[in-house]
Amino acid sequence: MEREGATTRPPWSQGGTAGGRPTLLYARPGIIVTADRFTVGSTSWRVAELTHLHTTRGPHDRVAVRAALVSAAVIGGIGLALGFTGGLHRLTAGAYLLLGVVFLVPILVAAAGDRWRPRAYELWGQRGGVPELLFSSDDERQFGQVTRALRRAFEIHRHGGWEDPLANADLWRPRR
C-alpha cells in the first residue's frame, strides 16, 4: 500500500550532472552518496566542503578490554601470592603446566573479544578545518562501498562534473 507522496527514491538536491539531478553513487537505507552530497541518517554534508578524507579503525570493545585486564590482574595476583608464600617450590610439573595455560587466559579473552565484537571501521574528514566522524560501520563490505562512492564523488567534483559516457555516446548501429 502506497501513501500519497511516498517515494523509494532519495530526495534530489538542486543542481547535479545528469538531467538536472545529481549522479547517485550509493544508496542504502540511511546512507546516500551523490556527486554533490553525502548523507548518513539525518546528517548531510556537501562533498565540496569535505577535505582530508581518511579511514581508521575504532577502539577495541571496552567490555573485552576490561575482561582481559581483570583476568590478567587476578591471575597475576595469584602468581604473586604463590611466589611470596613459597608455594611455587612445592608445585609439580603438571601444576606448572596448568599455571602456564592459565596465564594464557587474558590473551584468549582479548582475542575472543576482538572476534565477537570487532572494531568499527571509521571514515573521517574535515569540514572547515574541524575533523568530523562521517561514517562508522562494523560491516567491512558496506564500509568499503560507501568509502569508494565518496571517493568517486570527490573525483567527480574535482573534475567539474561527470556525464555518463554511454548516455551521451552516439552508438553505431548497422543499417537494416
Side-chain angles (χ1 to χ4, degrees), residues 23-27 33-36 47 53 144-159 161-162:
T23 303
L24 182 64
L25 300 171
Y26 182 86
V33 182
T34 67
D36 299 326
V47 172
L53 190 70
Q145 290 172 346
V146 170
T147 302
R148 282 190 299 277
L150 189 56
R151 290 190 191 276
R152 280 195 306 265
F154 274 112
E155 289 296 317
I156 291 169
H157 184 269
R158 184 175 2 156
H159 296 299
W162 175 71

Side-chain angles (χ1 to χ4, degrees), residues 1-13:
M1 170 170 41
E2 287 189 27
R3 295 180 302 181
E4 186 175 326
T7 180
T8 57
R9 291 185 176 175
W12 299 108
S13 63

